[in-house]
């Protein structure tokens, strides 16, 4: 296959390049190199896989159309985006232009020049916002859903909250509609907390990687809120396997949206993560507390039943195993990540 990966020099993108290149597919990367560590990932991609990287932006409609038309693209893995709620609050117009308009540009390029091209979109659990109708209980070291619910399925009403939630939610709905109206084979991945190697995490986004990096480079760690917030963590290799399963089963999943995360068995609170980090590192972890951030969900855990039934996909990496892998990668690349994270 010819696969175009937008945001291919980012965390998920660079891991997707590795996964699909190792399987012998032809990869094209589009990235504006604005993310922390993107330049490092570009160099790594070029050296390891001989993959060309086009420096450009999904806001450039003509560039996208040229690439889709000229490269005979079979799959677009759309990962480019503005990824932080806090940034969206500070710069909502930029957030909209990148996430909503950028996704529309991708869809239009495919519709006009290659309507059979598969489009996989990295959406977010933030499209569910405050999780209407879901009650939350506070436990000793975590929040939990009240009652019998263990995870959020795709029947949960959409409830965009924060500019980020609005821009990603608009993109999410455009992706669904381009299959319904134009027949473009699209799939939304409403992703939970993704983590793993090559993640140059920052305070505003990529919290698991950020906590590991900050701990190993002796930077201050701040937990915003009380630390009992819960996410279901999904190791990046498992996510990309989900992308592959969707491609393989596109006739069955086109037009669908899937909640994709580690599920209840891989849920972890910030405080529990600190416990695991202390165990993995063998040293105590110091941190302070700050005010709650806007749009922060107290608990979000994915119910992945739908994608499992549709494709057979399920997470393979436990949260403890994944955190240990992440820690080992950062530990082996401490000088590299410190070069970038030390100035954040």
């Amino acid at each position: 296959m010819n696969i175009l990966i937008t945001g291919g020099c980012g965390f998920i993108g660079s891991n997707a390049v590795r996964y699909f290149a190792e399987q012998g597919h032809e990869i094209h990367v589009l990235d504006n190199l604005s993310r922390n560590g993107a330049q490092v990932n570009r160099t790594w991609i070029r050296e390891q896989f001989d993959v060309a990287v086009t420096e450009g932006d999904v806001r450039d409609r003509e560039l996208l159309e040229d690439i889709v038309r000229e490269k005979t693209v079979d799959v677009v893995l759309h990962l480019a985006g503005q990824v932080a709620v806090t940034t969206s609050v500070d710069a909502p117009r930029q957030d909209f232009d990148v996430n909503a308009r950028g996704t529309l540009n991708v869809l239009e390029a495919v519709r006009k020049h290659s309507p059979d091209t598969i489009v996989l979109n990295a959406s977010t659990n933030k499209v569910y916002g405050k999780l209407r109708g879901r009650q939350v209980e506070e436990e000793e070291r975590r929040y939990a859903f009240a009652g019998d619910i263990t995870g959020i399925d795709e029947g949960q009403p959409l409830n965009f909250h924060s500019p980020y939630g609005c821009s990603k939610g608009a993109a999410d709905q455009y992706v669904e509609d381009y299959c319904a109206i134009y027949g473009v084979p699209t799939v939304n991945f409403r992703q939970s907390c993704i983590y793993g190697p090559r993640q140059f995490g920052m305070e505003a986004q990529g919290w698991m990687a950020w906590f590991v990096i900050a701990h190993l480079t002796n930077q201050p760690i701040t937990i915003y809120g009380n630390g009992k917030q819960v996410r279901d963590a999904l190791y990046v290799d498992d996510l990309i396997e989900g992308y592959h399963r969707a491609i393989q089963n596109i006739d069955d999943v086109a037009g669908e949206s899937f909640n994709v995360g580690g599920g209840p068995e891989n849920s972890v609170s910030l405080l529990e993560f600190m416990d695991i980090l202390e165990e993995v590192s063998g040293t105590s972890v110091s941190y302070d507390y700050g005010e709650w951030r806007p749009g922060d969900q107290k608990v979000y855990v994915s119910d992945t039943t739908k994608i499992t039934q549709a494709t057979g996909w399920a997470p393979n990496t436990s949260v403890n195993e994944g955190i240990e892998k992440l820690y080992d990668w950062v530990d082996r690349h401490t000088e590299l990540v410190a070069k970038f994270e030390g100035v954040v």
Side-chain angles (χ1 to χ4, degrees):
M1 295 183 295
N2 287 343
I3 303 175
L4 169 63
I5 303 178
T6 70
C9 294
F11 154 52
I12 297 175
S14 58
N15 281 280
V17 169
R18 171 185 53 77
Y19 178 95
F20 288 110
E22 288 177 348
Q23 294 192 346
H25 302 293
E26 184 173 349
I27 310 299
H28 312 280
V29 169
L30 175 67
D31 201 297
N32 69 3
L33 305 178
S34 63
R35 276 288 290 172
N36 219 34
Q39 294 277 4
V40 172
N41 285 339
R42 176 176 67 170
T43 300
W44 179 75
I45 287 169
R46 286 173 167 175
E47 291 177 349
Q48 296 295 316
F49 307 106
D50 193 29
V51 169
V53 177
T54 299
E55 185 173 351
D57 200 296
V58 291
R59 289 171 288 186
D60 188 336
R61 176 177 56 82
E62 293 182 358
L63 174 62
L64 272 170
E65 293 191 8
D66 288 344
I67 293 173
V68 170
R69 181 175 57 246
E70 295 172 5
K71 300 295 185 182
T72 317
V73 176
D74 298 304
V75 177
V76 177
L77 181 51
H78 179 41
L79 305 176
Q82 193 297 110
V83 294
V85 172
T86 51
T87 300
S88 79
V89 173
D90 293 335
R93 186 177 298 277
Q94 175 188 343
D95 175 79
F96 173 86
D97 284 340
V98 175
N99 290 343
R101 194 187 306 277
T103 301
L104 182 61
N105 287 343
V106 170
L107 293 167
E108 275 291 272
V110 170
R111 180 185 72 85
K112 291 168 66 175
H113 301 293
S114 186
D116 293 328
T117 293
I118 298 168
V119 179
L120 304 184
N121 178 52
S123 188
T124 172
N125 62 46
K126 293 296 189 291
V127 299
Y128 297 120
K130 293 293 188 179
L131 300 176
R132 282 186 192 145
R134 303 299 183 185
Q135 300 301 312
V136 173
E137 297 176 338
E138 184 173 352
E139 300 178 353
E140 183 178 355
R141 292 184 67 77
R142 61 156 52 199
Y143 290 108
F145 292 123
D148 296 332
I149 181 174
T150 57
I152 299 299
D153 65 21
E154 293 78 5
Q156 177 69 29
L158 301 181
N159 179 27
F160 307 156
H161 185 75
S162 81
Y164 174 77
C166 291
S167 66
K168 292 294 286 187
D172 179 293
Q173 293 302 281
Y174 267 106
V175 168
E176 282 194 359
D177 200 57
Y178 263 62
C179 184
I181 298 298
Y182 301 114
V184 176
T186 64
V187 183
N188 272 320
F189 281 71
R190 292 173 180 164
Q191 297 169 184
S192 191
C193 179
I194 313 301
Y195 70 104
R198 311 211 68 79
Q199 186 175 26
F200 294 83
M202 301 180 293
E203 269 199 334
Q205 198 274 335
W207 64 272
M208 294 178 73
W210 165 248
F211 286 163
V212 173
I213 291 167
H215 180 57
L216 279 168
T217 57
N218 298 311
Q219 296 187 69
I221 297 175
T222 301
I223 290 178
Y224 294 94
N226 60 12
K228 297 182 181 182
Q229 303 97 304
V230 167
R231 299 291 182 268
D232 60 319
L234 181 65
Y235 194 68
V236 66
D237 287 359
D238 293 345
L239 171 67
I240 298 166
E241 173 63 24
Y243 294 156
H244 194 193
R245 293 287 186 97
I247 295 168
Q248 293 173 320
N249 294 276
I250 192 60
D251 290 342
D252 298 320
V253 302
E256 298 292 342
S257 294
F258 296 107
N259 294 349
V260 181
E265 62 274 19
N266 292 303
S267 66
V268 62
S269 73
L270 275 64
L271 295 177
E272 291 166 347
F273 177 88
M274 294 304 186
D275 295 339
I276 298 172
L277 182 55
E278 287 191 349
E279 181 179 345
V280 169
S281 67
T283 57
S284 62
V285 180
S286 300
Y287 49 88
D288 295 316
Y289 291 92
E291 295 295 324
W292 283 88
R293 286 175 163 171
D296 196 4
Q297 297 155 316
K298 288 185 175 180
V299 54
Y300 183 88
V301 177
S302 305
D303 180 338
T304 61
T305 301
K306 181 180 176 181
I307 190 172
T308 298
Q309 292 178 342
T311 70
W313 175 87
N316 290 315
T317 308
S318 71
V319 67
N320 290 69
E321 178 187 359
I323 292 171
E324 186 169 357
K325 287 182 176 181
L326 172 60
Y327 182 89
D328 287 344
W329 185 86
V330 176
D331 194 29
R332 286 184 284 109
H333 298 85
T334 302
E335 185 175 345
L336 178 64
V337 296
K339 175 181 178 182
F340 293 93
E341 307 300 343
V343 298
V344 173

